[in-house]
Amino acid sequence: MDHKQYIERYLSADADDELETDERGEAAAHVSGCEECRGMLDSEIAMKSEVKKLTTVEAPVELRNRIMAALDEVDRRSQPRVRPLRRAVAWTSIAALAACLIAVTVLRMQQPANPAFDAAIESFVKSEQSFTSNVPSKSADELAVTYINRFGVPMAWDFSSIGLEVAGGRIDQASDGRAIGYSLYKGSRGSLLAVIYRNDVFNFPVGGETVKGVHIYHYRGYSVAATNRYSVFCIMVTRLPTSDLAQAFSQLPS
């Protein structure tokens, strides 16, 4: 079984513990050897657990009207003899989608906004589209020297254990005059952006997990890691699972 087959055939049922005996063994064998699928399964289980905790939420009037309009469109396009069945199927699908949208909205509303994380995510999304280096950055060691000279600490990371290598680095100046460093790491499975700047005081959000002094969170659908060394703050953003970040930081010296 490959990565795609597991996601399409087994992920949802595996999270609900609804696989048949032979399927369960096949899925377990795949997940045990696939970090990414294991992370996705953990996220799926956590998400469904949170959804089950939600109280019943009435769909907004606008959403209900959109659902009924969609059902009317299905009826208009359907033949008379299959109209009742099409309507039932359409209602089931659209109602399920509406429930998911409401659940996701409520979950997001429950998660406090973090301006520092939001800004880092915005920079990460931009880095996926384009990124230009303006400092020596052919390796993590070269980046470390650059950051020591600018910030006083070697805020460069070795992410080779999760398949990411240094792809570039740059230092810009913020509107308040502070220097901000950006390190881009890329690999076949995705990318990661580290944002570095001086910050004397930062209150880390509650929750998440801490590995070797690095705080790791699942925030707005992204994996975010944050650490503060000698008043130099670093936020790392990626689409890879938080388990990948935990694996990489677990290998840091104690």
Side-chain angles (χ1 to χ4, degrees), residues 47 51 54 97-110:
M47 185 273 289
V51 170
L54 296 175
L97 176 59
C100 289
L101 289 173
I102 293 170
V104 170
T105 300
V106 173
L107 285 173
R108 287 184 174 177
M109 290 175 60
Q110 291 176 339

Side-chain angles (χ1 to χ4, degrees), residues 214-228:
V214 181
H215 300 258
I216 304 172
Y217 307 91
H218 185 76
Y219 178 79
R220 283 181 48 193
Y222 297 86
S223 295
V224 178
T227 187
N228 198 355

Side-chain angles (χ1 to χ4, degrees), residues 13-251:
D14 199 1
D16 292 328
D17 196 23
E18 294 179 349
L19 294 176
E20 299 293 336
T21 302
D22 56 337
E23 294 176 329
R24 187 177 293 111
E26 190 175 356
H30 174 76
V31 170
S32 65
C34 179
E35 281 277 348
E36 186 171 1
C37 284
R38 187 157 64 249
M40 293 181 68
L41 177 60
D42 291 342
S43 297
E44 184 86 358
I45 292 173
M47 185 273 289
K48 290 187 175 183
S49 176
E50 290 299 323
V51 170
K52 289 178 182 178
K53 295 177 185 177
L54 296 175
T55 55
T56 301
V57 180
E58 183 178 355
V61 174
E62 181 182 355
L63 178 59
R64 294 202 301 271
N65 290 340
R66 288 168 60 189
I67 290 173
M68 294 308 299
L71 290 174
D72 290 340
E73 179 66 15
V74 171
D75 277 351
R76 187 181 67 79
R77 295 182 179 182
S78 302
Q79 296 296 323
R81 64 185 181 84
V82 299
R83 186 172 295 173
L85 177 60
R86 286 285 184 87
R87 189 176 182 89
V89 172
W91 171 252
T92 301
S93 301
I94 297 174
L97 176 59
C100 289
L101 289 173
I102 293 170
V104 170
T105 300
V106 173
L107 285 173
R108 287 184 174 177
M109 290 175 60
Q110 291 176 339
Q111 189 173 34
N114 187 304
F117 287 3
D118 291 336
I121 288 173
E122 182 179 353
S123 296
F124 168 74
V125 172
K126 290 180 180 177
S127 76
E128 290 184 310
Q129 299 166 358
S130 64
F131 187 91
T132 304
S133 299
N134 64 4
V135 298
S137 50
K138 294 180 180 178
S139 67
D141 290 341
E142 198 169 47
L143 265 179
V145 172
T146 298
Y147 292 141
I148 288 175
N149 292 334
R150 190 65 184 82
F151 298 101
V153 292
M155 278 291 189
W157 311 90
D158 180 2
F159 290 114
S160 59
S161 63
I162 57 174
L164 302 181
E165 301 292 344
V166 173
R170 63 179 297 110
I171 296 179
D172 294 333
Q173 191 171 26
S175 57
D176 59 4
R178 288 185 305 167
I180 303 181
Y182 299 93
S183 303
L184 181 64
Y185 303 81
K186 300 184 74 173
S188 60
R189 295 171 55 217
S191 63
L192 178 148
L193 183 72
V195 183
I196 303 133
Y197 55 91
R198 289 200 170 278
N199 189 342
D200 294 329
V201 179
F202 182 83
N203 295 319
F204 292 97
V206 298
E209 63 176 314
T210 304
V211 180
K212 299 290 183 69
V214 181
H215 300 258
I216 304 172
Y217 307 91
H218 185 76
Y219 178 79
R220 283 181 48 193
Y222 297 86
S223 295
V224 178
T227 187
N228 198 355
R229 308 282 176 85
Y230 305 106
S231 297
V232 177
F233 187 60
C234 180
I235 304 177
M236 291 152 277
V237 181
T238 181
R239 297 182 191 275
L240 296 178
T242 56
S243 57
D244 279 19
L245 292 179
Q247 175 189 332
F249 295 125
S250 68
Q251 300 180 18

